[in-house]
Amino acid sequence: MRPFDRRQILHALDVLTVLIARDQKSRYKSTAMGVVWAVASPLLFLLIFYFLFAVIMPLGIANYASHVLVGIVVWTWFQTSLSEAVTCIPYNATLVNLPRFPVAVLPVASVLSNGVTFLMTFPILLILVWVQAAGPSLPYLALPVLMLVQAVLTLGLGYFVAALNVSFRDMRYIVPILLQLGYFLTPIFYDLSMVSERGRMVLSLNPLVALVTAYRAVLIEGRWPDWGAVAAVFVFALILLALTLRFFRRSSDRFLEEI
């Protein structure tokens, strides 16, 4: 497939903006609490984990509320983006049928729209961290880098599941199961120090582990993240994105026939 020219890029950006705005307007349109759910949902999970692992069965993790909320917020962006990306082609069949519609922006819209929700929850996270752990510090400059790495990684996986789901519709059932497994393989409500050395070797294969650890280092510990680990995840994410985008573009020629 030929690369986009300038006009195609501008058109794709316009479409992407419209898709994100549409998604944000419709996401909580029929709910009583509206956009408050963007903040309420992670806080409810925080209360559950705090009650279980700080009150009923204490794990002894310092600043546990902040520890958990960082994991929840980071994971939620990743999980909701992939959950929406896997069905973004059949759910937007009308748009895909339009001439010259830039289909490749659909997974991007899923990732960026949920990224907006991620940013909406971030002030609540910061308030909790400042009250319980530490105030803002110079390492906060690393946060945009971490968000970029997470977005690239999520988009790389999003292109893959979106394209595969068109011809293999079971993916919309498989992806939630894999995400549930990934939830427990990511130190969200527990800490890596509680895992055996062999267990940490297994968990290190999960790139979200390095990202969650990096976010906690910056926000809770007030120090710079492990740049070596972050760089390794970023290189992996870029390679993954290049491969899956190529797979998506090749598969897109069959989208109209299969949706």
Side-chain angles (χ1 to χ4, degrees), residues 49 67-68 70-76 78-79 150 153 178-192 195 199 202-213 215-216:
F49 284 128
H67 179 92
V68 171
V70 170
I72 290 174
V73 169
V74 172
W75 176 263
T76 299
F78 177 76
Q79 180 184 41
Q150 183 173 351
L153 173 67
L178 294 177
L179 286 172
Q180 191 65 42
L181 176 62
Y183 187 85
F184 291 103
L185 293 178
T186 304
I188 295 173
F189 59 89
Y190 60 92
D191 189 74
L192 277 179
V195 182
V202 174
L203 293 183
S204 66
L205 299 176
N206 175 5
L208 262 295
V209 173
L211 285 177
V212 170
T213 302
Y215 277 107
R216 284 178 177 148

Side-chain angles (χ1 to χ4, degrees), residues 11-209:
H11 175 59
L13 290 175
D14 288 340
V15 172
L16 181 60
T17 302
V18 172
L19 289 174
I20 294 175
R22 181 196 68 174
D23 183 68
Q24 289 297 311
K25 290 179 181 178
S26 63
R27 188 177 293 270
Y28 306 105
K29 185 177 181 181
S30 302
T31 62
M33 294 175 59
V35 73
V36 176
W37 278 114
V39 175
S41 181
L43 288 180
L44 288 173
F45 278 105
L46 168 62
L47 289 175
I48 293 171
F49 284 128
Y50 191 86
F51 178 71
L52 288 176
F53 301 118
V55 178
I56 302 299
M57 298 179 292
L59 297 181
I61 298 175
N63 304 314
Y64 188 66
S66 299
H67 179 92
V68 171
L69 191 57
V70 170
I72 290 174
V73 169
V74 172
W75 176 263
T76 299
W77 180 15
F78 177 76
Q79 180 184 41
T80 52
S81 296
L82 286 188
S83 297
E84 293 177 11
V86 71
T87 56
C88 69
I89 305 301
Y91 281 8
N92 291 279
T94 303
L95 295 177
V96 175
N97 279 310
L98 294 176
R100 298 182 180 180
F101 178 78
V103 184
V105 303
L106 291 175
V108 181
S110 297
V111 175
L112 293 187
S113 182
N114 285 289
V116 172
T117 304
F118 171 83
L119 293 176
M120 291 168 58
T121 62
F122 219 73
I124 303 299
L125 172 61
L126 291 178
I127 291 173
L128 177 61
V129 168
W130 294 343
V131 169
Q132 188 179 49
S137 57
L138 190 60
Y140 271 43
L141 295 175
L143 289 174
V145 177
L146 300 181
M147 294 175 191
L148 173 63
V149 174
Q150 183 173 351
V152 174
L153 173 67
T154 308
L155 183 57
L157 292 171
Y159 273 126
F160 177 70
V161 298
L164 195 58
N165 182 62
V166 175
S167 55
F168 185 59
R169 296 299 174 91
D170 295 54
M171 284 301 298
R172 64 176 177 170
Y173 301 107
I174 295 174
V175 167
I177 296 174
L178 294 177
L179 286 172
Q180 191 65 42
L181 176 62
Y183 187 85
F184 291 103
L185 293 178
T186 304
I188 295 173
F189 59 89
Y190 60 92
D191 189 74
L192 277 179
S193 62
M194 304 169 62
V195 182
S196 66
E197 183 176 352
R198 180 176 297 181
R200 286 197 293 270
M201 290 178 61
V202 174
L203 293 183
S204 66
L205 299 176
N206 175 5
L208 262 295
V209 173

